Amino acid sequence: MLKRNVLFIMCDQLRFDYLSCAGHPYLETPNIDALAARGVRFTRAYVQSPVCGPSRMSYYTGRYMRSHGSNWNGFPLRVGEPTLGDHLRKLGVRTALVGKTHMTSDDEGMQRLGIDPSSTIGVLASECGFEPYDRDDGLHPAGRRHPKQPYNAYLRSKGYEGNNPWETWANSGEAPDGSLQNGWLLAHADKKARAPDEDTETPWTTREAMRFIEEAEAEQRPWCLHLSYIKPHWPYIAPAPYHEMFGREQVVPAIRDERERRNDAHPVYKAFMNLRVSRNFSRDDVRERVIPAYMGLIKQIDDQLGKLFAFLKEKELDKTTLIVFTSDHGDYLGDHWLGEKDLFHEVSVKVPMIVVDPSPAADATRGTTCDALVEAIDLAPTFIEYFGGVSPRHVVEGRSLMPWLCGEAPSHWRTHVFSEYDYSMQDVRRYLGLSVDKCRLFMVFDGRWKYIHAPGFRPMLYDLQSDPRELLDLGADPAHEETLIKMRAALLDWALADHNRITMPDARIEGYSSAAQLKNGILIGYWDEAELEEARRRL
Amino acid sequence: MLKRNVLFIMCDQLRFDYLSCAGHPYLETPNIDALAARGVRFTRAYVQSPVCGPSRMSYYTGRYMRSHGSNWNGFPLRVGEPTLGDHLRKLGVRTALVGKTHMTSDDEGMQRLGIDPSSTIGVLASECGFEPYDRDDGLHPAGRRHPKQPYNAYLRSKGYEGNNPWETWANSGEAPDGSLQNGWLLAHADKKARAPDEDTETPWTTREAMRFIEEAEAEQRPWCLHLSYIKPHWPYIAPAPYHEMFGREQVVPAIRDERERRNDAHPVYKAFMNLRVSRNFSRDDVRERVIPAYMGLIKQIDDQLGKLFAFLKEKELDKTTLIVFTSDHGDYLGDHWLGEKDLFHEVSVKVPMIVVDPSPAADATRGTTCDALVEAIDLAPTFIEYFGGVSPRHVVEGRSLMPWLCGEAPSHWRTHVFSEYDYSMQDVRRYLGLSVDKCRLFMVFDGRWKYIHAPGFRPMLYDLQSDPRELLDLGADPAHEETLIKMRAALLDWALADHNRITMPDARIEGYSSAAQLKNGILIGYWDEAELEEARRRL
């Protein structure tokens, strides 16, 4: 078989609609658009939780948040949870990481099982199955030492002084008087990062990816590289020339309506609107300051991807490499009176998803879009299938996108997508006076109705057919009782599915019967020798 | 602190109502009754799945079946799933097994994590957390070699010849002509086992328990012994004198009604009624042949427990040892036109549960019954608390019974009990033409209404207030729509709870806030220096 590879590109906090191929009126992303022209752009791809950690753990395991249990940033992924890397290594694929995963290791679990965190198995268990070629989560807050973060080491090697050049050079500007302008602060989003373009994170990460590919190609083993950019995630600050490429006149208006802030707004939504980040992003001046930087950071990614795609083409790797471009969630940027992500409006829970399969079988779909209901967990089984494996249904909960790429409409495709959110780590929990186990939201979307189940509260409901901008919450409207019941039934079916039966493949169950039991000498319910003999004769 | 111990006694397939303290009219169980007189008998204790394997994995982890994922007999418990033994070992308790667990080890998972199955950690992971002092699952079918089963080794050491003396001596009778009468066959339930009482499994297991206790006491460490009898589980055949202690006149009438077999019976129930074991147990002559043997096997357990309790008293261990007597599920014995277990009628899913806490705090409740809704998973946290630990709520899903033992009614006790069943391994799946992932049943019981959710089918519903014998399925009756909706809502709440967030304790979440984030240098959503300074001042 031809040596095949997967290049799995993820941005962080990139909205689905901030690409020119997705219709952004001012932001040109020609390299990403060219990728879309070579493959399929999925227009209804949803993450399994609209926040980094759990969303990524779903991408990296092919399993829902309720299955992998890593509910929020910093919640360790339990040791033994099967990962994409585990599945691909079985197929002989080198599965490596350059960039961010947001993984926290389950040190207690490893200790209980006697696994040395520095052993090969221990490192993989600590890095959600990836070989950490370059792990860099792209957040180096002041006051912490990050001895393992390679990007800071790179900056130091280039002579950028200070304890934390990530913050003081790549993510700060400099005032005329020489004082630092901290890029964590939204007011400084229009500043020029002190480090030049080439030394900021996106180009560095891209170069590291090329370095990995060079190295992996020398080995002639198939590889899967997760190239995981921290940007356009905050701190929102870009280097020259990206810091001034866009202006306030290119900031699209916020998707919002005064009705959303009414007194009878859903209590959980209301509490999120009350967070500092939401209050600030509800200000037009904040949007006008931040969004140009956000656009600049995306433009920088597009430029870097242009270099990377040229590099692949030069090596003829474009002919054997399946390429995915996606994000871990979106960014409200003031839409719906919110900042950050965390809730289930399209701008937060829907992500860009472009898949290029270089195989001739996929020629018919190049440059098309597909509006099937897709989940982030579908990538893991897609990769497994691309490398010739069979995705284990009892472990991996997503479904391979291969049929769509080949222009086939699979039978029995899912009719609903699901996403979950645990808000116990948000101040929202305190505002609402809830215990940690009560802070849960569940989204069910069937392509028209978006139902949000909020235990302890009434549900939310949006009709994306009549209200595509999601401005009108119908969850309290008795006229929609029937829809609410139907959506709740779909949620129950999903919740009751197995999420943990990971040790027993379907095929082994299918092969079992009372006849097999009889052969094994387990004689349940036979009356006498005659009955037993008759059953044995029938075997 | 006083050295404390736990003796966790389990029978296999013992119905809740086959004890004199629970009202059986003919079967006297004075030693078990004496235990009940020293403690609390819980009259509404339910197992989390009415079949050995998953029920036991719930007992041994304190977690629902959907959490531990071991859905049926022989489905390996995933490596890393935290067990009772893990929790107790942290408290310095030697946690050992004599008898049956029905555990299957997750060999693939151990291999993936590099765990040697013969290492100390590997053995514990293979034995669901117990030190296997004597692991013997009590089923040694012909044709298999059981080199590790210590009971067969014992029989051989006593001179019982043959490849499988478990079957040919302890579980077979002998005809006058010397030919074997196979105890697997129900027709031979009235025969006398060839081995004498003292060499059958129940006395052997009891002696092994005493041997463990002697040894553990010499060490002076606290211990938790799981004494796990295979009986009165089939093969239904007893040694003298138990084989003839009871006759057909002491067989209580079957709980059943012709209406249960009507054409509109629930399709899943109907398919179970159609199994061979159900058809045979629906015959009165089968019940009259088998039930006296079943009663004899229980009587034998009661006699052996008499010896064990005398042994404990002699060593004054009765003063420091918490004793539990329970079962992994019941036995239909022809009730409801069924054999075996597997469905959710009281005789199957409800178990005997007697708990004796020797502490003075429990004096007030001695000899009482408690009708609180209790689940099998409540034992693990009870034991943890008895040994002075705190049960980790994010891992162990049961609740300690200690308050009930001390005569306190805990606030917010559960209002529903839950049980699950995966029938994919039953021929029922083939009768109904289902795929393996569709074969699920879920029971929700609130003390009055027993609701059984059957994805793909209508639900079942019983009103135990007006119909305590559960003869009338109201699941298709539109008059009960409101009850069905209420029960389904309770099921949804339960299904949506976290079952996998096992790496993050509640306390760590409670200690988190945006203030803690600020201290860590993560500055989300601050506009400028002034806003940041103000937030810092407020810290």
Side-chain angles (χ1 to χ4, degrees), chain B residues 361-410:
Chain B
D363 284 348
T365 60
R366 301 198 190 286
T368 63
T369 58
C370 174
D371 64 0
L373 292 172
V374 164
E375 297 183 321
I377 56 176
D378 296 341
L379 289 184
T382 305
F383 299 166
I384 293 169
E385 188 176 340
Y386 185 69
F387 284 114
V390 175
S391 181
R393 193 205 66 82
H394 64 300
V395 178
V396 175
E397 300 177 313
R399 289 187 60 180
S400 169
L401 298 174
M402 280 295 167
W404 296 112
L405 298 173
C406 298
E408 299 158 17

Side-chain angles (χ1 to χ4, degrees), chain B residues 2 8 18 31 59 89 136 165 249 268 296 306 334 371 373 382 395 413 455 468 472 479-480 520:
Chain B
L2 203 62
F8 170 23
Y18 272 60
N31 296 298
Y59 271 112
R89 259 185 299 281
D136 199 297
E249 65 288 356
V268 180
D371 64 0
L373 292 172
T382 305
V395 178
W413 190 252
L472 189 59
H480 295 284
N520 284 334

Side-chain angles (χ1 to χ4, degrees), chain B residues 42-319:
Chain B
F42 292 91
T43 60
R44 279 172 163 178
Y46 292 85
V47 290
Q48 270 46 79
S49 183
V51 66
C52 305
S55 171
R56 287 164 178 272
M57 295 310 118
S58 284
Y59 271 112
Y60 305 153
T61 60
R63 290 161 55 73
Y64 291 107
M65 177 176 119
R66 63 189 305 87
S67 306
H68 61 63
S70 175
N71 282 18
W72 214 70
N73 302 333
F75 286 29
L77 185 72
R78 71 184 286 184
V79 66
E81 182 69 12
T83 63
L84 174 61
D86 292 319
H87 301 300
L88 295 188
R89 259 185 299 281
K90 275 192 206 162
L91 303 170
V93 178
R94 183 174 174 190
T95 308
L97 163 73
V98 168
K100 166 171 173 168
T101 60
H102 224 126
M103 168 75 182
T104 301
S105 59
D106 177 12
D107 296 337
E108 197 204 318
M110 284 198 283
Q111 194 182 8
R112 187 155 37 85
L113 293 177
I115 298 170
D116 174 358
S118 68
S119 66
T120 305
I121 286 172
V123 168
L124 291 172
S126 304
E127 299 286 355
C128 52
F130 291 110
E131 169 198 334
Y133 190 80
D134 261 322
R135 161 85 185 267
D136 199 297
D137 272 5
L139 279 186
H140 309 218
R144 281 199 232 163
R145 301 286 305 175
H146 304 275
K148 281 177 163 180
Q149 299 273 29
Y151 176 62
N152 253 350
Y154 165 77
L155 288 177
R156 277 191 218 101
S157 78
K158 296 278 286 188
Y160 295 97
E161 76 274 13
N163 201 17
N164 186 5
W166 171 85
E167 179 171 292
T168 52
W169 286 94
N171 287 284
S172 288
E174 188 176 317
D177 68 356
S179 64
L180 287 184
Q181 297 161 319
N182 187 339
W184 286 99
L185 301 172
L186 304 176
H188 295 312
D190 59 346
K191 306 303 183 297
K192 179 179 80 171
R194 289 174 81 206
D197 174 30
E198 69 192 54
D199 287 336
T200 54
E201 287 156 294
T202 296
W204 174 80
T205 310
T206 309
R207 288 194 302 272
E208 288 299 295
M210 293 188 206
R211 191 166 69 88
F212 168 82
I213 293 169
E214 295 266 15
E215 191 185 301
E217 280 299 301
E219 276 191 339
Q220 278 304 304
R221 264 176 69 197
W223 48 264
C224 171
L225 174 63
H226 182 38
L227 166 55
S228 185
Y229 293 112
I230 171 66
K231 296 298 179 185
H233 190 285
W234 42 259
Y236 301 107
I237 184 168
Y242 301 101
H243 74 297
E244 57 182 7
M245 225 173 243
F246 304 94
R248 53 191 293 183
E249 65 288 356
Q250 285 144 321
V251 171
V252 295
I255 302 170
R256 67 189 185 199
D257 191 294
E258 276 301 332
R259 287 175 300 175
E260 294 179 290
R261 301 206 269 191
R262 285 189 316 206
N263 258 340
D264 61 352
H266 193 283
V268 180
Y269 179 22
K270 213 182 220 172
F272 271 97
M273 285 193 280
N274 192 36
L275 293 176
R276 177 191 306 274
V277 67
S278 297
R279 285 183 276 115
N280 276 336
F281 268 101
S282 295
R283 287 163 44 189
D284 284 335
D285 63 319
V286 172
R287 295 187 76 248
E288 285 164 7
R289 189 74 63 92
V290 172
I291 291 176
Y294 182 77
M295 292 166 71
L297 290 167
I298 297 166
K299 185 72 185 171
Q300 187 188 25
I301 290 171
D302 189 73
D303 285 346
Q304 289 297 316
L305 288 179
K307 290 183 187 184
L308 179 63
F309 297 153
F311 165 90
L312 291 175
K313 195 173 163 84
E314 191 192 294
K315 296 190 168 308
E316 297 197 340
L317 288 169
D318 56 329
K319 294 179 181 153

